[in-house]
Amino acid sequence: MLRLHYNLEKLSMGMVAAIIVAASIGGIVEIAPLFKIDETVTIPDDMRPHTPLELAGREIYIREGCYACHSQMVRSLADELDRYGPYSLAAESAYDHPMLWGSKRTGPDLARLGEKYSDAWHSAHLINPRDVVPASIMPSYPWLEQSLDTRLLSAQLGTLARLGVPYSSEMVEAAVADAQAQSRPDSDGVDAVLERYGEDVAVRAFDGDPSRLTEMDALVAYLQSLGTLTNAAYEILAEGETE
Amino acid sequence: MNAATTLSQSERQVGFGLAIALAVLGLVMAAGAKQGAMAVHGAMAMMLGMYLVFYIGGSFYQPEPNADRVNQYYDAPTRFGVTMTLIWAMIGMTAGVWVAALMYWPEATPAVPWTSYGRLRPVHTTGVIFGFGGNALIATSFYVLQRTSRARLADSISPWFILIGFNLFCAWAVTGYVMGSTQSKEYAEAEWYADLWLVVVWVTYFALYIRTLARRHEPHIYVANWYYMAFILVVAMLHIVNNLALPVSFGAAKSFTIWAGVQDAMIQWWYGHNAVAFFLTAGFLGMLYYFLPVRSGRPIWSYRLSIISFWGIVFFYIWVGSHHLHYTALPYWTQTLGMTFSVMLLVPSWASAGNAIATLNGAWHKVRDDATLRFMFVAAVFYGLSTFEGSFLAIRPVNSLSHYTDWTVGHVHSGTLGWVAMIIFGAIYTLVPQISGREEMAWPHAIEWHFWLAVGGTLIYVIALWNAGITQGLMWRAYDDHGALSYSFMESVQAMAPYYLLRTIGGAMFLIGAVICALNCRATYRLAPMSTEVSDRPLNPQPAE
Ligand code: HEM
Ligand code: HEM
């Protein structure tokens, strides 16, 4: 082997080729099978994609770098199950471009956050965490009360649809209207939202004010949806316990 | 001095043309996007292009460089690259100290979007990894490539294109984050057009490297160049695959990665860990393999060992990314492969570290007396330490404790402060006098100060976070006698406060050291070159092309 290298290091393109080969094998072996697994890992029947409002909230979550302090991946360890809830399934993030599993828990995991707190708690907490949790070191986000920019929303759903997320063309077209309606429980569009995304979707004035569509509406709607897109994780855990 | 005067008249014209093209590109971007981050970035490119038009235009009436220049190494780009390295060091580390302070004192700075923790943190990571680390790699690679090949860079335009283009990428990335534009993939947060731009820069970099190697006057390619080459090639591969994305519109800085869920996680950490391997390790090993022997005046201890460790690193590293995903929804066998290879990786890693330390055998008196060499020695030691720690953290049960905690962050900084930054400083203190035509830095004693600040800062940082991480991990999994969790999450947050404070202090010391280094380099640049020739490896004269 040393001899081979001795000759190789006289040829720059030879080194280039050898490096590429050596550095490709591991990636191919580990990554390629995941795409086949994807076909076999079934997406649960009750799994729904995010509503436009939740998706807009997810974009705010990304923009503000919440993932730098919060994970969304409960590992299959006893203490995590006790602290957060059922461990996360691959299917739960199957529609997530990109995934937000995170790598650091400066704050707690959020994968099972949905409906743990009230909307009002979330708004107050985001505006100033120390108002509700005095010793918190989480940053304040007072600017989330600005109105939500929905100009790209429909195009975003369209792009995700092209990447395989099950958004119908109707959902893409109605994206902005659906986002409005989800934060206005009394409005006409509500039924359409429930019809498109399922009866379990939360329709509320998330920031407490139905007259304005704000970033707070979107982010809180997203936080409240975490872990509620499918029940599969709870079902699998329950099965495991009865066995 | 106008750096364009190192170019011939025709090269200046090419540069002028490229500057105009950049300004036009910026204009098209700004006009196409109209608003948001992409418009700002277009305006930035346009302004940079216009600045370069005037800068190069201003050199048109200056004399052409000496015709003898083809017989000299071309170090002006390296000089610029070192300057950018130090500027980014200050930007990136200031952001680091800032986010560190925010974790202790969340209301230290007013709650405005641009300087919120989540936006500044990627400014820190991109600023130090790409800005500080990347510029250092490019600048030293030009320097090392020429000396070890005894050939001048293949042309004089592309090194400038590479450096300026790369810095534009970094500037786009960090200004994007503060405006809220990010892909959120760790270490690959920049948006799609910046990623495309980086591909163009990188292809040029690779071409320059290969073309210069082709002109070498040595039959063999020196070890350092293998590593630089692996760095260039594999980073290209990682960058392209991980960043495949579909823009929402060509006029907006928003795209969706084509990968989703568990595949995205695997690809992200295949990228993420190999950014560690090929950005933060391979390239810097190249630096080590050149500057350590040069500074200590001793040949590399074992050539065979360097071959084994090179191929070991190139082959094994690619497998280990899945150790970031233990106990997650990633298939179990993939996690196991990642763990196994991570442990095996310790062999080539320690072979490299050992090879470096054994090289110093017989030169220990120099290590004692010369702070520059001591930087490199400490770098090799921390390289050994952090790879040992890494292999340990990759073992599944250990990772169950360490993952998500500050232990990871402690590991990261023992690698980046102790290894990456130290080897950069060692290389800078060796090459800056050389390219300034001096025997030594302007303020030799300041190197000693810097050294102790850096070592002290690193130790405080790393030891504090080891304690923090292990405490956190143990608190999260502690049960009381009744089988209930002993601590609420908030209690673990509060337990971190003293460690976060210490880390901020250690980081601030490290930053002060870096500022001293920058001032020292500036002072050295400003000194007139000495009249006597400073010894350098002779270049082999080239016949004109
Ligand atoms: C001036 C000294 C520095 C300080 C005070 C500092 C501080 C920090 C802080 C506070 C974080 C966030 C940790 C967290 O999320 O809990 C961080 C992350 C990080 N820093 Fe630094 N840093 C410094 C220097 C550096 C350097 C020189 C490098 C690289 C060359 C570096 C690379 C990183 C990386 C890669 C991360 C991300 C770690 C992860 O996600 O696990 N840092 N740093
Ligand atoms: C044999 C070599 C190494 C191995 C096996 C290794 C292994 C690991 C492991 C197991 C983690 C923790 C993953 C997690 O739980 O999330 C990690 C994180 C990390 N390591 Fe290493 N490490 C090695 C060397 C290095 C070196 C030399 C550096 C820096 C120059 C480095 C930089 C990092 C960074 C930046 C992360 C944090 C990634 C993130 O979560 O954002 N590693 N490494």
Side-chain angles (χ1 to χ4, degrees), chain A residues 103, chain B residues 121 186-187 269 273 276 280-281 317 320 323-324 342-343 345-346 349 383 386-391 393-394 399 402-404 408 411-412 415-416 419-420:
Chain A
S103 62
Chain B
R121 190 184 187 273
E186 235 182 322
Y187 319 127
W269 286 112
H273 204 85
V276 169
L280 294 177
T281 297
Y317 249 119
V320 306
H323 66 216
H324 289 259
S342 303
V343 174
L345 189 57
L346 190 61
S349 302
Y383 178 64
S386 55
T387 49
F388 176 75
E389 185 186 21
S391 297
L393 292 179
N399 195 268
S402 73
H403 188 60
Y404 293 136
T408 309
H411 161 67
V412 170
T416 54
W419 152 237
V420 171

Side-chain angles (χ1 to χ4, degrees), chain A residues 68-69 103-104 106, chain B residues 92-94 96-101 103 117 121 124-125 128-129 132-133 186-187 269 280 406 408-409 412-413 416-417 420-421 461 500 503-504 506-508 510-511:
Chain A
C69 289
S103 62
K104 176 76 206 295
T106 304
Chain B
M93 291 184 202
T94 303
V97 175
W98 193 342
V99 289
M103 289 174 81
Y117 178 93
R121 190 184 187 273
H124 165 56
T125 51
V128 286
I129 298 179
F132 171 56
E186 235 182 322
Y187 319 127
W269 286 112
L280 294 177
D406 279 293
T408 309
V409 181
V412 170
H413 289 85
T416 54
L417 300 178
V420 171
Y461 191 126
Y500 287 168
R503 180 255 300 274
T504 313
F510 201 90
L511 170 66

Side-chain angles (χ1 to χ4, degrees), chain A residues 1-2 5-31 33-39 55 58-59 62-69 71-84 87-91 93-109 127-130 133-143 146 149 151-152 154-160 162-163, chain B residues 35 102-104 106-107 111-113 116-119 121-122 177 179-186 189 206 210 213-214 216 219-221 226 229-230 233-234 237 246-249 252 254 256-270 278 303-304 307-308 310-311 314-315 318-322 325-331 333-334 337-338 341 399-401 403-406 408-409 472 475-479 483 485-490 493-494 500:
Chain A
M1 189 189 133
L2 294 180
H5 175 95
Y6 183 81
N7 291 324
L8 196 62
E9 71 168 41
K10 295 182 202 162
L11 296 168
S12 47
M13 283 326 254
M15 282 293 283
V16 167
I19 291 172
I20 293 181
V21 171
S24 300
I25 299 172
I28 293 172
V29 172
E30 291 188 355
I31 295 171
L34 291 182
F35 288 87
K36 265 185 57 206
I37 280 172
D38 179 51
E39 288 163 14
L55 185 72
R58 189 171 197 270
E59 290 304 318
I62 290 175
R63 181 188 80 191
E64 298 303 341
C66 309
Y67 59 84
C69 289
S71 59
Q72 289 187 22
M73 170 50 62
V74 180
R75 295 179 295 167
S76 49
L77 297 168
D79 59 298
E80 301 218 350
L81 268 62
D82 288 339
R83 191 178 292 278
Y84 301 112
Y87 57 85
S88 302
L89 306 179
S93 47
Y95 299 146
D96 284 358
H97 297 262
M99 56 85 202
L100 293 173
W101 294 7
S103 62
K104 176 76 206 295
R105 278 184 191 155
T106 304
D109 189 278
I127 289 170
N128 185 6
R130 278 153 295 284
V133 184
S136 177
I137 57 166
M138 175 164 145
S140 329
Y141 297 93
W143 60 91
Q146 70 201 20
D149 180 353
R151 276 170 301 187
L152 279 180
S154 181
Q156 287 182 358
L157 261 77
T159 312
L160 286 172
R162 281 169 61 194
L163 292 172
Chain B
Q35 58 185 3
L102 285 177
M103 289 174 81
Y104 178 69
E107 286 167 3
V112 288
S116 168
Y117 178 93
R119 300 189 187 194
R121 190 184 187 273
Y177 311 151
M179 290 186 279
S181 161
T182 170
Q183 288 188 325
S184 87
K185 300 191 110 191
E186 235 182 322
E189 292 96 341
F206 175 64
I210 291 294
L213 274 181
R216 72 184 181 277
H220 292 274
I221 301 174
W226 314 340
M229 240 154 66
L233 283 169
V234 184
M237 184 166 104
L246 205 56
V248 167
S249 128
K254 171 69 210 161
F256 288 105
T257 172
I258 68 164
W259 312 115
V262 63
Q263 291 102 331
D264 184 37
M266 184 62 227
I267 289 173
Q268 161 59 30
W269 286 112
W270 166 78
F278 290 89
Y303 168 70
R304 286 167 163 231
I307 296 177
I308 295 171
F310 175 75
W311 289 109
V314 172
F315 181 70
I318 286 289
W319 296 77
V320 306
S322 48
L325 301 169
H326 281 324
Y327 300 100
T328 66
L330 187 78
W333 64 268
T334 322
L337 267 182
F341 275 86
N399 195 268
S400 75
L401 180 85
H403 188 60
Y404 293 136
T405 71
D406 279 293
T408 309
V409 181
Q472 220 170 11
M475 285 176 86
W476 290 347
R477 60 162 59 166
Y479 282 92
L485 291 167
S486 302
Y487 301 99
S488 70
F489 193 87
M490 258 330 280
V493 173
Q494 282 170 293
Y500 287 168

Side-chain angles (χ1 to χ4, degrees), chain B residues 17 142 177 180 196-197 226 255 278 440 541:
Chain B
F142 290 162
Y177 311 151
L196 281 177
W197 173 250
W226 314 340
S255 63
F278 290 89
E440 58 177 10

Side-chain angles (χ1 to χ4, degrees), chain B residues 27-325:
Chain B
L27 184 67
V28 171
M29 258 174 79
K34 294 201 195 66
Q35 58 185 3
M38 194 173 171
V40 176
H41 288 160
M44 278 166 61
M46 191 171 78
M47 269 155 21
L48 176 65
M50 273 161 28
Y51 172 76
L52 289 172
V53 164
F54 284 107
Y55 189 85
I56 301 171
S59 71
F60 275 166
Y61 298 100
Q62 307 228 1
E64 289 210 53
N66 200 323
D68 189 38
R69 71 179 180 137
V70 291
N71 297 329
Q72 289 159 6
Y73 296 124
Y74 191 35
D75 287 333
T78 300
R79 191 183 157 107
F80 170 68
V82 169
T83 308
M84 291 315 296
T85 304
L86 292 162
I87 291 176
W88 280 107
M90 291 187 285
I91 299 175
M93 291 184 202
T94 303
V97 175
W98 193 342
V99 289
L102 285 177
M103 289 174 81
Y104 178 69
W105 186 18
E107 286 167 3
T109 45
V112 288
W114 306 280
T115 56
S116 168
Y117 178 93
R119 300 189 187 194
L120 276 184
R121 190 184 187 273
V123 170
H124 165 56
T125 51
T126 302
V128 286
I129 298 179
F130 295 99
F132 171 56
N135 273 299
L137 286 169
I138 298 175
T140 57
S141 73
F142 290 162
Y143 180 92
V144 172
L145 176 62
Q146 298 185 84
R147 265 78 184 172
T148 53
S149 306
R150 299 178 68 195
R152 187 182 163 89
L153 288 177
D155 75 305
S156 310
I157 297 282
S158 52
W160 292 107
F161 177 80
I162 294 161
L163 277 166
I164 295 173
F166 182 74
N167 281 287
L168 179 62
F169 166 81
C170 296
W172 273 354
V174 299
T175 52
Y177 311 151
V178 296
M179 290 186 279
S181 161
T182 170
Q183 288 188 325
S184 87
K185 300 191 110 191
E186 235 182 322
Y187 319 127
E189 292 96 341
E191 267 297 349
W192 60 275
Y193 51 87
D195 290 336
L196 281 177
W197 173 250
L198 187 62
V199 172
V200 175
V201 170
W202 219 251
V203 170
T204 319
Y205 187 19
F206 175 64
L208 176 66
Y209 219 87
I210 291 294
R211 282 158 60 221
T212 307
L213 274 181
R215 298 157 57 128
R216 72 184 181 277
H217 286 270
E218 297 281 342
H220 292 274
I221 301 174
Y222 181 68
V223 195
N225 292 316
W226 314 340
Y227 281 101
Y228 280 121
M229 240 154 66
F231 148 65
I232 298 172
L233 283 169
V234 184
V235 166
M237 184 166 104
L238 299 167
H239 172 77
I240 292 174
V241 175
N242 188 43
N243 282 303
L244 288 174
L246 205 56
V248 167
S249 128
F250 286 109
K254 171 69 210 161
S255 63
F256 288 105
T257 172
I258 68 164
W259 312 115
V262 63
Q263 291 102 331
D264 184 37
M266 184 62 227
I267 289 173
Q268 161 59 30
W269 286 112
W270 166 78
Y271 167 89
H273 204 85
N274 290 297
V276 169
F278 290 89
F279 214 101
L280 294 177
T281 297
F284 292 103
L285 282 172
M287 214 182 264
L288 179 81
Y289 272 112
Y290 179 80
F291 288 101
L292 183 85
V294 163
R295 189 73 190 190
S296 62
R298 319 254 329 155
I300 277 293
W301 183 64
S302 162
Y303 168 70
R304 286 167 163 231
L305 202 56
S306 57
I307 296 177
I308 295 171
S309 46
F310 175 75
W311 289 109
I313 284 176
V314 172
F315 181 70
F316 287 167
Y317 249 119
I318 286 289
W319 296 77
V320 306
S322 48
H323 66 216
H324 289 259
L325 301 169

